[in-house]
Structure formats: structure tokens, C-alpha cells
Amino acid sequence: MDFDFSDDQKLLKESVGKLMASRYGDFEKRKGYQTHTNGFDPAVWAEYAEAGILSLPFSEEQGGFGGGPVETMIVMEEMGTALAVEPYLACVVLAGAVLKYGKADDKIPEIATGEAIVALANIERSSRYDLNDVSLPAKLDGTAYVLEGEKSVVLGGGAADYFIVATRTSGNRRDVDGITLLLVDAKSPGISRRGYPTQDGQHAAEVSFGSVRVPVANVIGEVGKGLPILARAVDEAIAGLCAEAVGAMDALVKMTVEYLKTRKQFGVAIGSFQALQHRSVDMLVMLEQARSMAIYAALSVDDADEVARGNAISAAKVQIGRSAKFIGQQSVQLHGGIGVTMEYKAGHYFKRLTMIEQMFGDSDYHMRKLAASGAAIAA
Amino acid sequence: MDLNLSAEELAFRDEVRAFIAAELSPETREKLVLGREIGKHDFVEWQRKLNAKGWAVPHWPVEWGGQNWGPMQEYIFLDELQQAPAPSPLQFNCSMVGPVIATFGSEEQKKKFLPATANLDIWWCQGFSEPGAGSDLAGLKTTARREGDFYIINGQKTWTTLAQYADWIFVLARTNPQAEKKQQGISFILVDMKTPGVTVRPIQLIDGGREVNEVWFDEVKVPAENLVGQENRGWDYAKFLLTNERMGIARIGVSKQRIRRIKELAKSERYGDTQLLDQPWFREKLVSVEIELKALEITQLRVLAEARKRGKHGEADPNSSILKIKGSELQQVTTELMMDVMGPFVLPFAASMDDEDRTNEPPIGPDYAASAGPTYFNSRKISIYGGSNEIQRNIIAKAILGF
């Protein structure tokens, strides 16, 4: 039983914290980054590369830093505190994990050095959060697969140099077998995309594939066996997202408490009112519960038992979702009018936290998954 | 970072588990499983077994039977007792008055009281709360007037748990009514319940049980040697006592045990053509509680890890107020789930819940159903006692958030 970071992890936290503070300490800078094409400043991305965090989750043989889930948690928490807009989760954590577990190491050095951005394209119009719900056909034609169809809400898709596309090579729409992951060059003929900002100031894209030819050599993992890789990668992304949410919630609780201590009405700081103090305490309780589950997620994501891993991740996502909703809504309420302005940071934390709930399965989705599995979480 | 118990901790857990399995009377365990009240005999028998093993008062000083365990070991021990389920060592003795006497008492008091307290030869009750002093404990009005070698105590205590079994009571009484602040001028005095002028009257709680009492003091003459520590310093000792009470305050093991029981019963309970446990709505309610409980367990372990770093008997950690709030809420919500399981059989009131006056009449509905309603009603006290959850919020607001 040990909740301490190692010395290396402490150093990592400190250096990433410093980097993020220098790039995001002034909230106006963030607004500047968002004016770039694809919603982030490539110069900041290059700094991430230089700092080594783009290579963090990859092994040394893969050209990486050899970090594990705790290292990812540390970085993601800092990203959450900073309210960072770069596609770190999308590219390094999520797409990176697909490459890692699909044993498709060739593109990893390009991610690690910041040369290439890779984005996972798996969501379709009807799939919602079900990873097995894949229709987009990839038909074998000689030595290439031919892709036809559309993918939605591709995180980091506007800036992507490569897509990892979940395709259907056999079976029916919701079959767990027959899903093949393909690495697709974004410049391939037949690809068109429409990038757009998301509600929380990040970016995604709609991507359409019109007779896009992908060499069979670009299969990640095995043909038809893409789902377990996808599931594993999404679990890692959820663990990272939980940490990001904790960073955002922690900052938001602090910000709200500070505001209550300085905002005066009726001649006194409004933080002197017990109703508002108790609300703040309830926010803190929700934050600590979320922090515990983010740790649990990080420490469970490498669990060899797939069911145990999935249950832990789902449980964490539910707690994070509940805490994020409560803290987000209450912090806006306690700020009053300023909380619902675009100018002020609190509302942006609230928006990010709200979108986190909608990603990779909302609380209801994960609750049902857990209920169906019937496994004991607390025992 | 690592969530796993160490090899030593696992071995210790197994040792505790094996001891409970071998030594706990099946009757006592059965009462706890069924949610029935356990009587004096259950407590005494079990605590004497624990004491013989050296486990009744592990957190006391070693010379008085302590084990020098770390916070983690203490937690594992309590958690195993709660999950078994087995009675915990009587908290009035072991977590409250014992540590106060061991720390602030005279040598004579230690010799006279500590071994008997550990072995439950003396049953203690707590004379703190008064009708006008609940959350505002320092507002207490019971007086102790010094007359020669005696204190004369007058006043009324209330919510005195299991005073009907008690041999002695530790009382906070006002010895200096002129003190500048109300916290000053309070003393910590030990009173034999057999002293003339002490009257115990039961208060029946909404579940029908009689676990709490009013205790009246009418010109009760107590030898001055029964004062603990210094006169007028009782508030300090009371605060010390309350920080000792924090270990295991979330009672996660109790909630875990109840959830296991709920699952077991929900398998045998029919719902339409299926088991109740197969109903998605029921499973979601259950899972919802399990998630929060898992989160709380890790929060608890984080607080323990901090305690381990601070060393034994450090400052009270205001984070334990988080554990109290969430822990009490979850204990309460598990009692609601238990009522969900019983359905209409929650309704029949069995007047025989008291251990002492159980009748031989057959139960109405399944025999485990009778306690569901009373346990729920009774559990509302959990967010009220030990500093109400609103007081806990005040503590957090001040000590953690800096309001």
C-alpha cells in the first residue's frame, strides 16, 4: 500500500507542471492557441516533444520514455489543471495505445518526436459508445483494403497525419469478431475531413473515406481481431481522462473556494455563509472520491484480468462523471454570473468536465456495463 | 504507487480472519448477520477472547496491553472484525476512556482501571452529551462541586449508549462555572454507576430498541481521586478522546458485509420469474453503492497512508471528517437496499427485536426480514452521532478549505 510517487515521478510532475504553467498560466494564451488551424499551437506541441512527454507511454525499444499508467496519470492531471487544448489524450494516450498493443511500432517514433499526429477513427453515426459497433467496410482488393464510409467525432482528427480506422472486414455491424484496425495515411486519395472545435475548446473531425486504398501491410494487430486492442486502448484513455478530470476538478474547487473568500456581498465575503461553505465541502468530498478512483483506474489498467480491468475502469468513469457534474455545476452556481461568461476560466473547466462525461461512455453506459457483468467492485 | 497489501499485511489479515473464524461464537455472528441486537454477554465473551489473544486494546501503550501496530494494521484488524461480522472491542472502553486514563490518569487509576477495562470486567459508558449540549458539547451544564475529598455531581446526561450494562461512567462536568470560556472549567471524572443518586432511564429509539439512555445525577458523591488529570482540563482530554475515535470511522467493512448479504438474499428472493438480483434496476442501484464504497475505501487508505507518515498519535486529520460523511451515508444507503430486498416483508413489526425479550413466536415472512426496517430507522443516527455530518462539514470548511 503506497500512494507516493517515486523520485522520478515527482520530477516528472514538477517539470510538466512548470511547462504547463509557462504555457497556460495566463488564460489569454489559451485563447490564442485556439485561433490556430486545428485548435492548437504546433509550437507548444513541439515543446511537449522536447520535454519528452510525447514519448512517455512507449517503451525504450519503441523510442519512448518507458512510462506506465502512473506517469500518464501525472501528465494528464497537469493537462487537466492547465485546461490544455493539444490532442495529447487523442494522439499519445489513445492512438499511441492502439499502436503499442497492436504491435505496430513503426509510427511510434513519429509520435514520440512530434513529427506525426495519429488519431483513432472508430465512432460511427449509430455506434454511440459501443466499440464493437463498427460498420465501415474494408474490402480486400488484391494487396489493399478499400474503405468506404464515414467516421465521426475523431478526436484530434483535423490535425492527424494518420488515422487508425476501425473497419469491418467480416461479420455484421455489432459482431465482436471481424473488426480490423488499419493505419491510414491522411493524405490518401479519397479521404476528406471536416475539422471543427468541440464544446470544450478542443478539436475533432468528421472523416469520410471514398474508395480509400490501404495496403494490407497496414493492418494493426490481426485481421478481424481489432476489438481487444481497441478496448484496451480505450481503457487506457479512460484512465488518462479520469486523471485529467481530477486535475480540472481540483483547480476548479480551489478557484471556487478562493472566489468565495474574496467576493463580497452584504458587506462580507460570501464564503462566510455556512450554506456556501458546506456546498464547497461537498465539492471537496466529490473531488477526493474522484481522485481515489482515478488512482484506482491507473493502477488497474495493466490488470491482466480483462474483466477486472474493465470493471475497474467503468467504476472509475462513473465516479468521475458524477463528481465532475456536481463540481462543475456547483462551481458555476457559486461563482454567480461570472461563472457563465466566456471570459472567465471557471466556465471552461465546467465545459471540459461536461464533455469528459460524454466521452468513451457516459456514467449510465458504464453503470449498465457493470450491472450486466455482476462482478463485485467493493469486495 | 501500489494498492496491494504487503506480504506481512496479508499474512496478518489471514491471521485475524482465522482467529475470528475459530473463536467467534456462531450465535453472536448470527445475530450480527441477521441485524439483531447483540447483548452484554456477546460483547463480554468476545472481548475476553480478544484480550486473551492480546488484541482487545492494540492501540494502547504497550505496557498496558498495546501491540504497537501501525495505522494500517489497526485498520486491517477492524475491517476484518466488521466484515466477519464480529463485535468490535467496546469502544467506550477501548477507544475512549482507556487511552485517556493511560495518557492522563494517575498510576493508581491505571492499575485500578486499565486491565479491567481491557478485559471488559468493567463496562464503561460515556457521559458527555446533555439535553442542551449536543453538537455544542462545551455548553454542558452538569456540575461537579468540590466538597472536601469529594465531588458532588448534579445534572443530566443523555444519549448514553448501553448505560444499562455499564459499571462505570466517564463524565464531563463543570468544575468552574466562572471560567472565561465555556471550554475551560470542565473536568473529566470517573463515576461508579452504583453510587447513590445515579439514575438510568432508557430512551426507546424509532426502531423499537433501547440502546440509549438518560443518566441523571442527583447529589452524587464521588471521591476526588476519581478526577482524571487536572481539574478544569477535561475539555483537552475529551478532544484527545475524540481523535482516538477516528480510526475506522467510515466503517467500510460494515457496508461491505451488508452488501455481500444483500447479494446473497437477492439471489433467493423472487422477482417475477427471476431472482431479484437479476433485475437490471436492482443491480444498478447496488453497483452505484459499490462504486462509491470502492472510492471511499481508497480514500480511507490514502488517509491511512498519510497517518503512517505522520507517525502514531499525530494530530487529528481533518480528512477523517470526509470519511465520516461518506462512510455514514453509505452505511445508511445499504440499509435502504436491504429494505428493497425484503419488499412488503419490511412491514411487520416484531416486538421481539431486543435480545432480552425475544419470544418464541414464529417470524412473519422470511426470518431475516424483521430487522430490515428497524436497521434502516436506527441507521439514521449514524450521520448524527460522533459529530453530526454538518459539524464535520464545519470542520472541513475551516481546517481544509480555510474558511
Side-chain angles (χ1 to χ4, degrees):
Chain A
M1 189 69 52
D2 175 18
F3 293 94
D4 286 339
F5 292 136
S6 69
D7 287 346
D8 285 347
Q9 289 167 341
K10 282 181 199 155
L11 276 177
L12 175 70
K13 184 171 172 57
E14 197 185 325
S15 69
V16 177
K18 269 188 197 153
L19 175 62
M20 299 314 285
S22 76
R23 288 295 155 254
Y24 280 93
D26 174 4
F27 190 53
E28 292 305 309
K29 283 188 183 168
R30 181 177 186 268
K31 294 175 187 169
Y33 303 148
Q34 289 175 291
T35 63
H36 285 259
T37 323
N38 299 322
F40 70 97
D41 184 350
V44 176
W45 195 251
E47 283 186 84
Y48 289 174
E50 205 174 316
I53 59 175
L54 299 185
S55 67
L56 189 78
F58 308 113
S59 69
E60 282 166 31
E61 303 83 74
Q62 290 164 326
F65 175 90
V70 174
E71 280 75 14
T72 298
M73 177 177 85
I74 288 169
V75 173
M76 285 309 302
E77 192 172 336
E78 294 297 330
M79 296 269 165
T81 306
L83 214 47
V85 294
E86 298 79 20
Y88 187 84
L89 182 87
C91 173
V92 180
V93 182
L94 177 59
V98 174
L99 296 176
K100 201 164 54 173
Y101 297 117
K103 301 194 169 51
D105 293 358
D106 343 353
K107 289 293 165 232
I108 287 174
E110 288 180 54
I111 293 180
T113 54
E115 281 164 62
I117 288 185
V118 184
L120 174 68
N122 68 300
I123 299 175
E124 297 178 10
R125 179 64 190 87
S126 67
S127 61
R128 297 185 68 87
Y129 302 120
D130 287 335
L131 299 175
N132 59 303
D133 194 316
V134 173
S135 294
L136 193 141
K139 294 213 167 72
L140 194 57
D141 177 23
T143 56
Y145 284 102
V146 182
L147 277 56
E148 198 73 53
E150 266 124 46
K151 291 287 182 182
S152 287
V153 202
V154 177
L155 303 172
D161 300 291
Y162 300 95
F163 295 110
I164 295 165
V165 187
T167 67
R168 173 67 58 195
T169 46
S170 66
N172 296 312
R173 192 187 119 211
R174 292 181 61 78
D175 289 352
V176 295
D177 285 326
I179 295 169
T180 301
L181 302 172
L182 291 170
L183 184 74
V184 183
D185 191 322
K187 294 187 296 293
S188 307
I191 290 183
S192 66
R193 61 180 136 180
R194 182 157 65 97
Y196 50 84
T198 50
Q199 299 290 342
D200 49 16
Q202 303 212 356
H203 259 241
E206 300 297 291
V207 187
S208 66
F209 300 83
S211 302
V212 175
R213 293 185 71 82
V214 182
V216 288
N218 286 19
V219 171
I220 297 170
E222 285 175 54
V223 173
K225 305 262 182 256
L227 189 60
I229 299 171
L230 203 55
R232 172 100 205 235
V234 166
D235 282 349
E236 284 208 18
I238 292 174
L241 201 60
C242 289
E244 181 186 348
V246 166
M249 286 188 266
D250 185 72
L252 192 48
V253 170
K254 284 192 180 118
M255 195 173 177
T256 306
V257 168
E258 204 46 48
Y259 183 79
L260 295 178
K261 288 176 185 170
T262 47
R263 169 72 175 167
K264 288 201 164 124
Q265 289 286 273
F266 312 103
V268 294
I270 60 175
S272 62
F273 301 134
Q274 195 183 39
L276 306 194
Q277 290 183 0
H278 282 195
R279 194 88 55 81
S280 309
V281 169
D282 290 339
M283 289 165 66
L284 179 77
V285 172
M286 288 301 261
L287 167 63
E288 293 307 329
Q289 290 285 82
R291 197 191 300 279
S292 291
M293 287 309 261
I295 293 169
Y296 182 52
L299 296 180
S300 304
V301 85
D302 278 343
D303 198 324
D305 178 347
E306 258 176 67
V307 176
R309 184 192 80 211
N311 285 340
I313 295 292
S314 285
K317 187 67 166 59
V318 172
Q319 181 65 54
I320 293 299
R322 286 175 175 170
S323 293
K325 181 179 273 188
F326 183 78
I327 290 171
Q329 291 178 346
Q330 295 308 322
S331 64
V332 167
Q333 179 69 23
L334 295 186
H335 272 91
I338 191 77
V340 287
T341 64
M342 199 61 109
E343 164 200 353
Y344 190 68
K345 201 172 179 181
H348 294 270
Y349 279 122
F350 170 51
K351 289 204 284 182
R352 178 63 184 151
L353 289 169
T354 307
M355 292 309 110
I356 285 174
E357 164 70 358
Q358 303 300 124
M359 292 166 71
F360 309 120
D362 55 25
S363 298
D364 288 337
Y365 177 85
H366 284 287
M367 185 78 99
R368 286 203 190 110
K369 212 173 134 189
L370 282 167
S373 107
I377 304 155
Chain B
M1 277 203 167
D2 184 7
L3 271 176
N4 298 312
L5 296 180
S6 69
E8 296 80 43
E9 286 163 348
L10 282 173
F12 175 69
R13 187 196 66 185
D14 292 344
E15 188 190 354
V16 174
R17 204 171 274 183
F19 178 80
I20 296 171
E23 298 294 329
L24 178 64
S25 120
E27 291 78 26
T28 302
R29 183 176 179 278
E30 166 98 347
K31 285 182 200 169
L32 286 167
V33 168
L34 291 176
R36 294 195 179 127
E37 266 179 47
I38 54 171
K40 183 171 188 173
H41 169 74
D42 297 290
F43 275 107
V44 172
E45 184 190 66
W46 178 234
Q47 183 151 333
R48 287 186 184 157
K49 284 182 184 171
L50 287 176
N51 198 38
K53 174 83 178 163
W55 287 352
V57 291
H59 53 291
W60 285 14
V62 172
E63 57 171 318
W64 297 108
Q67 290 287 348
N68 220 356
W69 288 348
M72 196 62 215
Q73 225 175 334
E74 280 182 34
Y75 173 72
I76 291 170
F77 176 65
L78 284 179
D79 192 56
E80 284 300 317
L81 291 179
Q82 289 167 1
Q83 290 205 56
S88 293
L90 191 70
Q91 59 168 339
F92 315 109
N93 284 37
C94 303
S95 306
M96 294 182 173
V97 76
V100 169
I101 293 174
T103 309
F104 304 105
S106 65
E107 277 312 306
E108 292 72 40
Q109 285 170 341
K110 289 179 192 174
K111 281 188 200 125
K112 178 174 175 190
F113 291 114
L114 289 181
T117 296
N119 203 43
L120 206 39
D121 297 334
I122 298 174
W123 184 299
W124 289 92
C125 64
Q126 181 189 28
F128 280 19
S129 292
E130 296 183 5
S135 290
D136 180 16
L137 181 59
L140 58 89
K141 291 201 168 59
T142 295
T143 57
R145 183 177 84 240
R146 183 75 186 243
E147 278 185 8
D149 288 340
F150 292 90
Y151 287 105
I152 312 297
I153 300 181
N154 280 285
Q156 181 195 351
K157 295 290 175 182
T158 192
W159 311 130
T160 315
T161 302
L162 302 182
Q164 69 267 36
Y165 301 152
D167 305 300
W168 283 75
I169 181 169
F170 49 98
V171 176
L172 289 182
R174 202 162 287 288
T175 34
N176 178 10
Q178 271 78 49
E180 222 171 280
K181 288 171 70 179
K182 60 185 178 181
Q183 287 83 358
Q184 295 163 345
I186 292 172
S187 294
F188 194 109
I189 301 171
L190 312 176
V191 182
D192 187 332
M193 293 290 278
K194 290 187 296 294
T195 319
V198 177
T199 312
V200 177
R201 288 182 199 156
I203 301 172
Q204 195 173 21
L205 293 184
I206 50 175
D207 61 341
R210 292 176 178 81
E211 61 188 37
V212 295
N213 302 272
E214 295 177 311
V215 180
W216 298 77
F217 296 86
D218 179 18
E219 292 288 300
V220 175
K221 199 171 169 189
V222 180
E225 69 201 32
N226 287 6
L227 172 77
V228 175
Q230 295 172 29
E231 198 177 77
N232 298 327
R233 293 288 302 277
W235 187 251
D236 296 340
Y237 310 146
K239 277 202 308 192
F240 167 85
L241 173 154
L242 293 172
T243 63
N244 264 296
E245 198 193 343
R246 297 297 172 90
M247 180 61 69
I249 199 165
R251 308 218 309 156
I252 291 163
V254 171
S255 294
K256 276 188 187 173
Q257 190 272 332
R258 198 173 285 128
I259 284 180
R260 268 204 299 274
R261 175 81 180 148
I262 287 165
K263 282 185 176 168
E264 198 181 293
L265 294 176
K267 268 186 207 162
S268 59
E269 201 64 24
R270 302 300 296 173
Y271 194 96
D273 291 330
T274 72
Q275 300 173 355
L276 175 61
L277 192 60
D278 285 339
Q279 288 295 308
W281 65 268
F282 184 77
R283 280 178 173 237
E284 282 180 34
K285 277 181 100 166
L286 201 57
V287 161
S288 178
V289 176
E290 284 186 284
I291 292 169
E292 286 198 81
L293 195 57
K294 184 77 213 177
L296 185 66
E297 185 180 20
I298 297 171
T299 306
Q300 165 85 69
L301 295 172
R302 287 167 51 211
V303 170
L304 285 172
E306 284 304 308
R308 195 165 53 183
K309 271 193 258 174
R310 274 198 316 276
K312 214 164 160 17
H313 302 306
E315 296 275 293
D317 182 353
N319 282 304
S320 55
S321 293
I322 294 178
L323 302 177
K324 167 75 197 317
I325 292 172
K326 249 4 258 193
S328 58
E329 288 174 358
L330 288 172
Q331 286 176 72
Q332 290 172 336
V333 85
T334 56
T335 67
E336 291 178 49
L337 284 172
M338 193 62 103
M339 287 201 297
D340 287 344
V341 174
M342 305 311 169
F345 289 104
V346 173
L347 269 79
F349 175 70
S352 56
M353 285 300 296
D354 265 344
D355 188 48
E356 270 66 23
D357 53 32
R358 178 150 327 120
T359 67
N360 286 326
E361 283 197 50
I364 302 164
D367 70 343
Y368 47 78
S371 66
T375 304
Y376 166 71
F377 295 133
N378 185 278
S379 78
R380 303 317 299 172
K381 75 187 179 192
I382 304 171
S383 51
I384 298 169
Y385 68 45
S388 73
N389 284 15
E390 288 65 36
I391 291 292
Q392 305 298 334
R393 286 186 173 85
N394 287 350
I395 292 170
I396 296 169
K398 200 170 160 210
I400 301 180
L401 298 179
F403 282 112

